[in-house]
Amino acid sequence: MSDVLVRVFAPFKGALSERGIPAELLTEGLPFDVNDFQSAKKRISWDVFVLVCERAEKLLGSREELEAVTRKYSIHPRLEFMHRVLAVAATPRDLYWMGTMWFGRMLFNVVEDSFEEFPNGRIRETLSIPQPYRDSPQFFHMMKGVLEAAPTLLGAEHAHVEMDLQPRRAVYTIWLPPQQVHRGLLARILSRRAKPDVIKELIRQQEEFQQTHRALARISRIGRELAHNIELDKLGDTLLEHLTTAFGFTGVEFWVVPLHGEKPELLRAVGKHEEPRERQILLTSGGQELGRLDLWGPHGDPNEPPEDDHIEDLSELAPWISIALDNARTHSALRQASEMLQDRVRRQDAELLVANDSLQNAERLASVGTLAAGIAHEINNPVGSILLAAEYTQLRRGEPGAEPAIWETLDGIIHEAKRCAEIVKNVLRFSRNEPTKKKLYDLERTLRRAVAITKDYARGRGVALRANIGDGPCEIVMNSMEIEQVVVNLLRNAIEASGSCSCVTLSLSSLEDRAEITVSDEGCGIESEQARRIFDPFFTTRRSSGGTGLGLSVAHSIVAGHGGKLLVESEPGKGTRFTLVLPAAGPSDADEQ
């Protein structure tokens, strides 16, 4: 709403220039500039006006300086030629009266004012800033300077003005110059010779304008407050509070049509709801019914409107309510859709975790199947030794002096049996589907188990498997089974890519902030195009030999879950090197153990 004429700041342009202060500082960042100070049409909101007043006080140094500037500059030099004419037609008293009735309201249509006249040339003028507009002590000080300077427009001396400043209100007691106490021609024309009904009509229209302005300002304020409530429940509470307090209805029902419904549902109700209701207001947007308000009569005497300018007709407020309701319904629908989407994402995440666990387990079992020949060979050797030892024992059990040899043979059988049990234990442990749980663990032990389970597979293919692991512990926060699965997969791939009489090397480097595991082979290498896709699910170059394309994809996922990286370097014809990087355990990780 445009409440104040910009030209009221015209006195400050010259005053600031005299002090060497750029007047542009008053309007910096605002929707007008100093050139608009002379405009008779440019208006600004009351909030912007108050902001400029505060800037003026800061630039000038005090509120007393505000009074001095308006006292000196409020009467424009170009009006000096009117001194003699106005001196015949009017007195300072007439100027104050006209300012109260018309001129002040043209400049500041927000401000409420009153005019009282007393004997001996004394006048009392009261200016008030109504709610919800901001208070401005600077404005009241500026007006004191204007009121002091007003008689100079008639060529008279300054008036003596005393100001009683209160919150949102100032009372000015004005003593007119002695020679200007009598009424002038203009006052006599308006008060005696003009028709009394003309004056009354002007006053009535002015009061009607003020009342309408206050009503529209209140509706605008309530509308803005409703628009800020995007929650349906809060909107209902705020709306019912205003309808029962500001508008005085004793009963209110707020009905809302659900977003995907047809019939309105009661959202909020307050007060008495006896038939017949006072009125019903339909709330619509774009021709679509959003809801309705059922209202019951005002409180107190129905013939007397309640205080604070009760407005029976809510037609001006209904569009605001409809907009706020439409926004709240849309926000409610968006929130429900968001919650449904989040729930769906949570379910899909859970399903993906289950599927990922199943995929990792399947990959472990596939590795066991691939390594089965080596495992069978590993078990077959001790089983053969056990069989031979048992037969040897049977042959010599009745011989004299054979007891020491038999005991030695039995020790060998026990040793080979334990060897078989260890092999089976390693296979079962590797293929078991354990839940993902990370803890501080020795990485070297994990790598040695991976070597133990793949060495016979390498031997069977004529590939030498070398392990440069070291002797000291290398502790990492990890899931040991998952990291073992990754290393077994990398070793198996390296063995299969290598030819007979070649070598696969497993190395461990323990650095300050990380551990690096490398698996390198002397195979045929990987083309650069294939290397870019090697971690993609279902991508494989060994489809004909049973490759699924899941091993490296699962390995990459496991490593990422440990906060690490899985890198590949390869050159066709010269072999491939995979590097597994895992973050080192910190002090807090060790403390938790």
Side-chain angles (χ1 to χ4, degrees), residues 228-513:
H228 284 112
N229 288 283
I230 58 175
E231 298 284 349
L232 269 175
D233 291 336
K234 292 183 179 179
L235 173 63
D237 293 338
T238 303
L239 178 59
L240 265 61
E241 180 182 356
H242 284 298
L243 291 176
T244 54
T245 55
F247 296 98
F249 291 101
T250 57
V252 181
E253 289 182 355
F254 184 26
W255 296 77
V256 177
V257 178
L259 199 64
H260 301 292
E262 297 181 357
K263 296 182 178 180
E265 299 176 356
L266 182 62
L267 179 68
R268 284 287 188 277
V270 66
K272 300 178 181 179
H273 311 111
E274 300 175 354
E275 294 293 343
R277 59 175 172 255
E278 179 78 10
R279 68 189 61 204
Q280 183 180 85
I281 297 178
L282 294 179
L283 306 173
T284 62
S285 176
Q288 178 186 3
E289 182 180 355
L290 305 179
R292 74 170 190 266
L293 285 170
D294 291 342
L295 307 169
W296 281 262
H299 56 70
D301 186 350
N303 298 318
E304 293 293 334
E307 296 180 1
D308 196 26
D309 297 328
H310 168 67
I311 303 176
E312 287 191 358
D313 191 0
L314 296 175
S315 59
E316 295 291 342
L317 186 60
W320 288 93
I321 302 175
S322 297
I323 292 172
L325 178 56
D326 197 16
N327 291 340
R329 290 170 76 247
T330 302
H331 176 266
S332 177
L334 290 175
R335 185 178 60 184
Q336 292 177 8
S338 175
E339 291 174 352
M340 291 176 59
L341 182 60
Q342 291 176 2
D343 185 60
R344 183 179 300 176
V345 169
R346 282 192 295 268
R347 291 199 306 269
Q348 290 182 348
D349 285 345
E351 293 172 358
L352 284 174
L353 288 174
V354 173
N356 188 52
D357 290 342
S358 300
L359 185 61
Q360 292 182 19
N361 188 42
E363 179 59 26
R364 281 196 296 271
L365 294 176
S367 297
V368 172
T370 303
L371 301 173
I375 295 169
H377 178 75
E378 183 74 6
I379 293 177
N380 187 56
N381 289 335
V383 168
S385 299
I386 291 172
L387 181 60
L388 289 173
E391 291 176 349
Y392 174 76
T393 302
Q394 284 182 335
L395 289 174
R396 299 196 59 186
R397 64 182 176 180
E399 295 180 5
E403 186 174 346
I406 290 174
W407 281 110
E408 183 179 352
T409 304
L410 289 175
D411 287 340
I413 290 173
I414 293 173
H415 175 75
E416 294 298 331
K418 288 182 177 179
R419 182 182 170 192
C420 288
E422 185 67 22
I423 293 171
V424 173
K425 179 181 177 181
N426 287 338
V427 173
L428 291 176
R429 178 184 46 75
F430 181 75
S431 61
R432 189 177 299 121
N433 183 21
E434 293 183 343
T436 300
K437 184 177 180 181
K438 299 180 180 69
K439 64 179 183 178
L440 198 61
Y441 207 89
D442 186 3
L443 183 58
E444 290 187 8
R445 293 180 58 189
T446 301
L447 298 184
R448 294 187 188 282
R449 289 202 306 266
V451 170
I453 204 171
T454 54
K455 64 181 180 180
D456 290 308
Y457 182 64
R459 187 185 303 118
R461 299 179 70 95
V463 176
L465 180 57
R466 297 176 182 172
N468 301 323
I469 297 175
D471 299 325
C474 178
E475 293 187 327
I476 296 290
V477 176
M478 63 180 180
N479 182 300
S480 177
M481 288 299 303
E482 290 185 348
I483 297 301
E484 182 181 344
Q485 177 182 345
V486 172
V487 176
V488 167
N489 183 277
L490 295 177
L491 289 173
R492 188 189 68 189
N493 287 346
I495 293 168
E496 292 174 351
S498 302
S500 180
C501 301
S502 60
C503 179
V504 171
T505 304
L506 171 66
S507 301
L508 171 63
S509 299
S510 180
L511 305 177
E512 183 178 353
D513 60 340

Side-chain angles (χ1 to χ4, degrees), residues 531-591:
R532 283 194 292 268
R533 300 181 55 197
I534 200 167
F535 298 119
D536 293 349
F538 306 107
F539 176 78
T540 179
T541 59
R542 298 185 291 107
R543 186 79 62 185
S544 59
S545 60
T548 63
L550 292 176
L552 288 176
S553 175
V554 171
H556 188 273
S557 176
I558 291 174
V559 174
H562 283 73
K565 298 178 181 179
L566 185 56
L567 311 172
V568 60
E569 300 174 66
S570 184
E571 186 175 348
K574 294 187 178 181
T576 303
R577 181 172 68 180
F578 283 88
T579 302
L580 169 57
V581 182
L582 293 174
S588 60
D589 298 318
D591 293 342

